[in-house]
Amino acid sequence: MTPDPLAEVVTLLQPKARFSKLIECAGSWRFDRKGTGDPFYCAVLEGHCRVTVDGQPPLLLQAGDFLLVPAMRDLIKESLDLPQEETSREPIEIGEGRFRVGGEDELSNLRIRIGHCSFGSPDVALLVPLLPHVVLARGESRLATLTQLVGDETLAHRPARELVLERLLEVLLIEALRCGCEAHNAPAGLARGLADDRVAAALRAFHAKPDYSWTIARLASEASLSRSAFFARFSRTVGMPPMEYLMAWRMALAGRLLRGQELGLDQVAERVGYSSSSSFSVAFARYAGMSPARYGQKMHLMG
Protein backbone atom coordinates (compact mmCIF):
# COMPACT_ATOMS: atom_id res chain seq x y z
CA MET A 1 0.00 0.00 0.00
CA THR A 2 1.39 3.42 -1.01
CA PRO A 3 2.06 5.52 2.10
CA ASP A 4 0.39 8.90 2.59
CA PRO A 5 2.98 11.08 4.37
CA LEU A 6 0.53 13.87 5.24
CA ALA A 7 -1.96 11.46 6.79
CA GLU A 8 0.85 9.75 8.71
CA VAL A 9 2.11 13.00 10.23
CA VAL A 10 -1.35 14.35 11.17
CA THR A 11 -2.44 11.01 12.65
CA LEU A 12 0.72 10.76 14.74
CA LEU A 13 0.13 14.29 16.08
CA GLN A 14 -3.18 13.18 17.70
CA PRO A 15 -5.03 16.53 17.59
CA LYS A 16 -7.32 17.26 20.55
CA ALA A 17 -9.90 20.06 20.82
CA ARG A 18 -9.55 22.45 23.76
CA PHE A 19 -12.26 24.95 22.90
CA SER A 20 -13.97 26.68 20.00
CA LYS A 21 -15.84 29.97 20.08
CA LEU A 22 -17.60 32.44 17.85
CA ILE A 23 -16.52 36.07 18.26
CA GLU A 24 -18.33 39.15 16.95
CA CYS A 25 -16.44 42.44 16.87
CA ALA A 26 -17.68 46.02 16.48
CA GLY A 27 -15.85 49.35 16.39
CA SER A 28 -12.06 49.45 16.82
CA TRP A 29 -10.49 46.53 18.63
CA ARG A 30 -7.29 44.59 19.19
CA PHE A 31 -6.38 41.24 20.82
CA ASP A 32 -2.87 40.34 21.96
CA ARG A 33 -2.14 36.69 22.66
CA LYS A 34 1.17 35.28 23.86
CA GLY A 35 2.51 32.20 22.14
CA THR A 36 1.56 28.88 23.75
CA GLY A 37 3.07 26.51 21.22
CA ASP A 38 -0.35 24.90 20.70
CA PRO A 39 -2.27 24.82 17.39
CA PHE A 40 -4.63 27.71 16.64
CA TYR A 41 -7.04 28.22 13.76
CA CYS A 42 -9.67 30.74 12.74
CA ALA A 43 -12.28 30.99 10.00
CA VAL A 44 -13.51 34.44 8.98
CA LEU A 45 -17.27 34.25 8.45
CA GLU A 46 -18.01 37.96 7.85
CA GLY A 47 -15.99 41.15 7.65
CA HIS A 48 -12.24 41.59 7.70
CA CYS A 49 -9.32 42.02 10.10
CA ARG A 50 -5.54 42.14 10.31
CA VAL A 51 -3.48 39.37 11.94
CA THR A 52 0.20 39.43 12.87
CA VAL A 53 1.89 36.14 13.79
CA ASP A 54 5.18 36.22 15.69
CA GLY A 55 6.16 39.67 14.41
CA GLN A 56 5.93 38.67 10.74
CA PRO A 57 4.32 41.02 8.15
CA PRO A 58 0.58 41.33 8.92
CA LEU A 59 -1.97 39.27 7.02
CA LEU A 60 -5.24 40.85 5.86
CA LEU A 61 -8.08 38.39 6.34
CA GLN A 62 -11.58 38.63 4.90
CA ALA A 63 -14.73 36.52 4.75
CA GLY A 64 -13.93 33.03 3.45
CA ASP A 65 -10.34 33.00 4.73
CA PHE A 66 -8.97 30.31 7.03
CA LEU A 67 -5.80 30.68 9.07
CA LEU A 68 -3.93 27.81 10.73
CA VAL A 69 -0.92 28.21 13.01
CA PRO A 70 0.29 24.69 13.94
CA ALA A 71 2.37 25.99 16.87
CA MET A 72 0.99 29.34 18.00
CA ARG A 73 3.46 32.10 18.61
CA ASP A 74 2.68 35.66 19.68
CA LEU A 75 -0.50 36.65 17.87
CA ILE A 76 -2.18 40.02 17.30
CA LYS A 77 -5.65 40.35 15.81
CA GLU A 78 -6.99 43.86 15.16
CA SER A 79 -9.51 45.87 13.19
CA LEU A 80 -8.29 47.67 10.07
CA ASP A 81 -9.24 51.11 11.40
CA LEU A 82 -7.40 50.70 14.70
CA PRO A 83 -6.20 54.00 16.24
CA GLN A 84 -2.55 53.96 17.29
CA GLU A 85 -3.44 54.50 20.95
CA GLU A 86 -5.94 51.64 21.03
CA THR A 87 -5.28 49.08 23.77
CA SER A 88 -6.24 45.42 23.82
CA ARG A 89 -9.88 44.61 24.54
CA GLU A 90 -11.07 41.29 25.90
CA PRO A 91 -14.16 39.65 24.36
CA ILE A 92 -17.18 39.40 26.67
CA GLU A 93 -19.19 36.19 26.75
CA ILE A 94 -22.77 36.74 25.57
CA GLY A 95 -23.85 33.10 25.31
CA GLU A 96 -22.49 29.59 25.32
CA GLY A 97 -19.53 29.61 22.98
CA ARG A 98 -20.32 33.17 21.80
CA PHE A 99 -18.33 36.31 22.59
CA ARG A 100 -18.49 39.96 21.57
CA VAL A 101 -16.21 42.98 21.48
CA GLY A 102 -17.92 46.37 21.36
CA GLY A 103 -21.37 47.57 22.35
CA GLU A 104 -24.45 45.63 21.28
CA ASP A 105 -25.76 48.79 19.57
CA GLU A 106 -22.63 48.98 17.37
CA LEU A 107 -22.63 47.41 13.92
CA SER A 108 -20.51 44.27 13.77
CA ASN A 109 -17.50 44.44 11.41
CA LEU A 110 -16.25 40.89 11.97
CA ARG A 111 -17.63 37.45 12.75
CA ILE A 112 -14.92 34.88 13.27
CA ARG A 113 -14.83 31.33 14.62
CA ILE A 114 -11.61 30.46 16.38
CA GLY A 115 -10.38 27.20 17.80
CA HIS A 116 -7.59 26.27 20.17
CA CYS A 117 -6.45 22.69 20.27
CA SER A 118 -3.47 20.63 21.30
CA PHE A 119 -1.50 17.74 19.94
CA GLY A 120 -1.78 14.67 22.15
CA SER A 121 1.35 12.99 20.85
CA PRO A 122 4.27 13.05 23.31
CA ASP A 123 6.47 13.29 20.20
CA VAL A 124 4.94 16.59 19.09
CA ALA A 125 8.27 18.45 19.26
CA LEU A 126 9.67 15.99 16.68
CA LEU A 127 6.65 16.29 14.35
CA VAL A 128 5.61 19.96 14.27
CA PRO A 129 8.80 21.07 12.42
CA LEU A 130 7.46 19.12 9.41
CA LEU A 131 4.52 21.54 9.12
CA PRO A 132 4.52 25.15 7.83
CA HIS A 133 4.65 27.94 10.43
CA VAL A 134 1.47 29.52 9.04
CA VAL A 135 -1.16 28.27 6.59
CA LEU A 136 -3.62 30.63 4.90
CA ALA A 137 -6.40 29.28 2.68
CA ARG A 138 -8.82 31.60 0.90
CA GLY A 139 -12.35 30.94 -0.30
CA GLU A 140 -12.58 27.32 0.84
CA SER A 141 -16.13 26.85 2.15
CA ARG A 142 -15.32 23.31 3.34
CA LEU A 143 -13.01 24.71 6.01
CA ALA A 144 -15.75 26.98 7.38
CA THR A 145 -18.09 23.96 7.49
CA LEU A 146 -15.51 21.87 9.34
CA THR A 147 -14.87 24.61 11.92
CA GLN A 148 -18.63 24.84 12.47
CA LEU A 149 -18.80 21.08 13.04
CA VAL A 150 -15.90 21.23 15.48
CA GLY A 151 -17.58 24.10 17.31
CA ASP A 152 -20.91 22.28 17.54
CA GLU A 153 -19.30 19.07 18.76
CA THR A 154 -17.21 20.95 21.34
CA LEU A 155 -20.34 22.42 22.94
CA ALA A 156 -22.35 19.20 22.76
CA HIS A 157 -22.07 16.32 25.21
CA ARG A 158 -22.93 13.42 22.95
CA PRO A 159 -21.57 9.86 23.15
CA ALA A 160 -18.12 9.36 21.56
CA ARG A 161 -17.56 13.13 21.62
CA GLU A 162 -13.76 12.95 22.02
CA LEU A 163 -13.38 10.44 19.20
CA VAL A 164 -15.55 12.53 16.86
CA LEU A 165 -13.59 15.67 17.71
CA GLU A 166 -10.27 13.94 17.08
CA ARG A 167 -11.41 12.74 13.66
CA LEU A 168 -12.90 16.14 12.74
CA LEU A 169 -9.67 17.89 13.71
CA GLU A 170 -7.61 15.43 11.68
CA VAL A 171 -9.78 16.19 8.64
CA LEU A 172 -9.65 19.93 9.34
CA LEU A 173 -5.86 19.97 9.58
CA ILE A 174 -5.41 17.87 6.45
CA GLU A 175 -7.89 19.98 4.49
CA ALA A 176 -6.23 23.22 5.64
CA LEU A 177 -2.78 21.96 4.68
CA ARG A 178 -4.02 20.73 1.30
CA CYS A 179 -5.88 23.96 0.50
CA GLY A 180 -3.10 26.19 1.81
CA CYS A 181 -0.51 24.59 -0.48
CA GLU A 182 -2.58 25.44 -3.58
CA ALA A 183 -2.05 29.20 -3.31
CA HIS A 184 0.63 30.73 -5.55
CA ASN A 185 2.48 32.01 -2.46
CA ALA A 186 1.90 28.87 -0.38
CA PRO A 187 4.36 28.35 2.47
CA ALA A 188 6.91 25.61 2.20
CA GLY A 189 5.95 22.41 3.96
CA LEU A 190 5.04 18.76 3.59
CA ALA A 191 1.71 19.44 1.87
CA ARG A 192 3.34 21.69 -0.73
CA GLY A 193 5.99 19.05 -1.34
CA LEU A 194 3.28 16.44 -1.94
CA ALA A 195 1.61 18.78 -4.44
CA ASP A 196 4.78 18.57 -6.57
CA ASP A 197 4.78 15.23 -8.43
CA ARG A 198 8.57 14.92 -8.50
CA VAL A 199 9.10 15.78 -4.83
CA ALA A 200 6.08 13.67 -3.82
CA ALA A 201 7.63 10.59 -5.45
CA ALA A 202 10.69 10.94 -3.22
CA LEU A 203 8.63 11.63 -0.10
CA ARG A 204 6.46 8.56 -0.62
CA ALA A 205 9.47 6.38 -1.34
CA PHE A 206 11.12 7.41 1.89
CA HIS A 207 7.97 7.04 3.98
CA ALA A 208 7.48 3.56 2.52
CA LYS A 209 11.01 2.49 3.53
CA PRO A 210 12.37 4.66 6.35
CA ASP A 211 14.89 1.90 7.14
CA TYR A 212 16.48 2.05 3.69
CA SER A 213 19.95 3.59 3.21
CA TRP A 214 18.72 6.66 1.40
CA THR A 215 21.11 9.11 -0.24
CA ILE A 216 20.49 12.27 -2.25
CA ALA A 217 21.33 10.33 -5.42
CA ARG A 218 18.80 7.59 -4.65
CA LEU A 219 16.04 10.05 -3.75
CA ALA A 220 16.80 12.12 -6.84
CA SER A 221 16.40 8.97 -8.91
CA GLU A 222 12.95 8.38 -7.36
CA ALA A 223 12.04 11.95 -8.38
CA SER A 224 13.54 11.52 -11.89
CA LEU A 225 15.73 14.59 -11.35
CA SER A 226 19.42 15.31 -11.20
CA ARG A 227 20.87 15.53 -7.69
CA SER A 228 21.28 19.30 -7.81
CA ALA A 229 17.81 19.92 -9.27
CA PHE A 230 16.22 17.56 -6.76
CA PHE A 231 18.00 19.14 -3.79
CA ALA A 232 16.93 22.66 -4.81
CA ARG A 233 13.35 21.67 -5.63
CA PHE A 234 12.86 19.65 -2.45
CA SER A 235 14.34 22.36 -0.23
CA ARG A 236 12.19 25.04 -1.86
CA THR A 237 8.88 23.20 -1.59
CA VAL A 238 9.28 21.33 1.71
CA GLY A 239 11.19 24.08 3.50
CA MET A 240 14.19 21.97 4.52
CA PRO A 241 16.87 19.97 2.70
CA PRO A 242 16.05 16.32 1.89
CA MET A 243 18.39 14.74 4.43
CA GLU A 244 17.14 17.08 7.15
CA TYR A 245 13.57 15.95 6.42
CA LEU A 246 14.70 12.31 6.49
CA MET A 247 16.29 12.90 9.89
CA ALA A 248 13.16 14.59 11.27
CA TRP A 249 10.81 11.80 10.17
CA ARG A 250 13.13 9.05 11.33
CA MET A 251 13.44 10.69 14.74
CA ALA A 252 9.65 11.06 14.97
CA LEU A 253 9.22 7.35 14.20
CA ALA A 254 11.96 6.49 16.66
CA GLY A 255 10.24 8.56 19.34
CA ARG A 256 7.05 6.55 18.94
CA LEU A 257 8.92 3.24 19.08
CA LEU A 258 10.93 4.30 22.13
CA ARG A 259 7.82 5.44 23.94
CA GLY A 260 6.20 2.06 23.42
CA GLN A 261 9.20 0.39 25.09
CA GLU A 262 8.44 -2.86 23.23
CA LEU A 263 11.65 -2.97 21.17
CA GLY A 264 15.28 -2.97 22.13
CA LEU A 265 17.57 -0.12 21.08
CA ASP A 266 19.13 -2.22 18.31
CA GLN A 267 15.68 -2.94 16.86
CA VAL A 268 14.60 0.71 16.99
CA ALA A 269 17.84 1.75 15.28
CA GLU A 270 17.29 -0.80 12.52
CA ARG A 271 13.67 0.27 11.97
CA VAL A 272 14.73 3.86 11.27
CA GLY A 273 17.71 3.15 9.06
CA TYR A 274 20.74 3.00 11.37
CA SER A 275 23.24 0.17 11.18
CA SER A 276 24.12 0.31 14.87
CA SER A 277 22.51 1.40 18.12
CA SER A 278 25.50 3.62 18.92
CA SER A 279 25.22 5.69 15.73
CA PHE A 280 21.46 5.96 16.28
CA SER A 281 21.92 7.02 19.91
CA VAL A 282 24.33 9.79 18.92
CA ALA A 283 21.97 11.06 16.18
CA PHE A 284 18.89 10.91 18.40
CA ALA A 285 20.56 12.66 21.33
CA ARG A 286 21.78 15.42 19.03
CA TYR A 287 18.30 15.87 17.56
CA ALA A 288 16.07 15.43 20.63
CA GLY A 289 18.42 16.76 23.28
CA MET A 290 18.44 13.55 25.34
CA SER A 291 19.44 9.93 24.96
CA PRO A 292 16.98 7.42 23.47
CA ALA A 293 16.72 5.58 26.81
CA ARG A 294 15.90 8.74 28.74
CA TYR A 295 13.45 9.89 26.07
CA GLY A 296 11.63 6.55 26.12
CA GLN A 297 11.32 6.57 29.90
CA LYS A 298 10.17 10.18 30.03
CA MET A 299 7.56 9.84 27.29
CA HIS A 300 6.30 6.52 28.65
CA LEU A 301 5.61 8.20 31.99
CA MET A 302 3.89 11.15 30.27
CA GLY A 303 1.73 8.83 28.16
Side-chain angles (χ1 to χ4, degrees):
M1 183 176 179
T2 303
D4 187 330
L6 185 59
E8 288 182 324
V9 170
V10 171
T11 301
L12 281 179
L13 282 168
Q14 300 173 27
K16 310 287 184 183
R18 287 173 51 203
F19 62 85
S20 172
K21 58 187 178 182
L22 181 68
I23 300 179
E24 299 176 357
C25 300
S28 298
W29 50 270
R30 172 188 172 109
F31 310 146
D32 290 333
R33 295 288 182 267
K34 292 298 181 183
T36 62
D38 290 331
F40 164 86
Y41 64 85
C42 67
V44 182
L45 307 178
E46 295 178 6
H48 44 255
C49 65
R50 180 167 47 237
V51 176
T52 303
V53 181
D54 200 31
Q56 296 300 308
L59 301 170
L60 299 181
L61 304 186
Q62 60 186 6
D65 288 351
F66 180 91
L67 178 71
L68 168 67
V69 184
M72 195 177 98
R73 296 159 177 81
D74 291 351
L75 188 78
I76 299 172
K77 295 196 293 287
E78 58 191 5
S79 58
L80 299 186
D81 58 348
L82 184 74
Q84 289 188 352
E85 67 276 7
E86 181 74 23
T87 57
S88 295
R89 302 169 67 183
E90 289 298 319
I92 298 173
E93 188 168 7
I94 58 175
E96 188 176 18
R98 294 181 59 233
F99 293 77
R100 183 174 175 84
V101 174
E104 293 190 10
D105 57 339
E106 294 183 89
L107 185 64
S108 172
N109 55 33
L110 179 73
R111 286 181 66 246
I112 189 169
R113 181 171 291 280
I114 70 169
H116 290 265
C117 46
S118 61
F119 290 134
S121 171
D123 308 314
V124 62
L126 303 177
L127 290 162
V128 166
L130 302 179
L131 303 178
H133 294 307
V134 177
V135 176
L136 176 59
R138 299 189 185 274
E140 297 290 344
S141 59
R142 291 170 295 179
L143 290 169
T145 300
L146 285 167
T147 58
Q148 176 69 53
L149 290 171
V150 171
D152 292 346
E153 194 65 31
T154 301
L155 295 175
H157 297 282
R158 295 187 285 256
R161 173 179 177 272
E162 296 305 319
L163 179 61
V164 171
L165 277 172
E166 184 172 338
R167 294 297 177 264
L168 283 173
L169 284 170
E170 286 178 352
V171 175
L172 178 61
L173 288 174
I174 290 171
E175 189 68 13
L177 291 166
R178 289 195 307 193
C179 294
C181 77
E182 294 172 357
H184 73 279
N185 58 344
L190 176 57
R192 185 177 168 192
L194 290 170
D196 183 311
D197 290 342
R198 298 293 184 91
V199 173
L203 283 166
R204 291 193 176 97
F206 172 67
H207 275 254
K209 296 180 178 180
D211 58 340
Y212 185 69
S213 298
W214 292 107
T215 63
I216 292 292
R218 288 169 177 166
L219 287 169
S221 177
E222 292 287 340
S224 300
L225 293 168
S226 69
R227 283 181 293 181
S228 59
F230 169 71
F231 184 91
R233 192 157 166 173
F234 189 103
S235 302
R236 183 177 65 254
T237 57
V238 179
M240 61 180 74
M243 301 312 288
E244 186 177 329
Y245 179 91
L246 265 62
M247 169 70 79
W249 180 241
R250 280 174 166 160
M251 294 301 105
L253 290 178
R256 183 182 63 176
L257 296 172
L258 291 167
R259 178 163 38 91
Q261 296 192 327
E262 296 175 355
L263 300 177
L265 194 58
D266 287 339
Q267 293 171 300
V268 173
E270 184 180 355
R271 292 277 186 94
V272 295
Y274 285 83
S275 58
S276 70
S277 59
S278 58
S279 61
F280 165 68
S281 296
V282 170
F284 189 90
R286 186 183 299 121
Y287 191 87
M290 64 183 77
S291 70
R294 184 182 170 196
Y295 184 90
Q297 293 168 357
K298 179 180 178 180
M299 295 306 163
H300 182 72
L301 291 174
M302 289 175 59

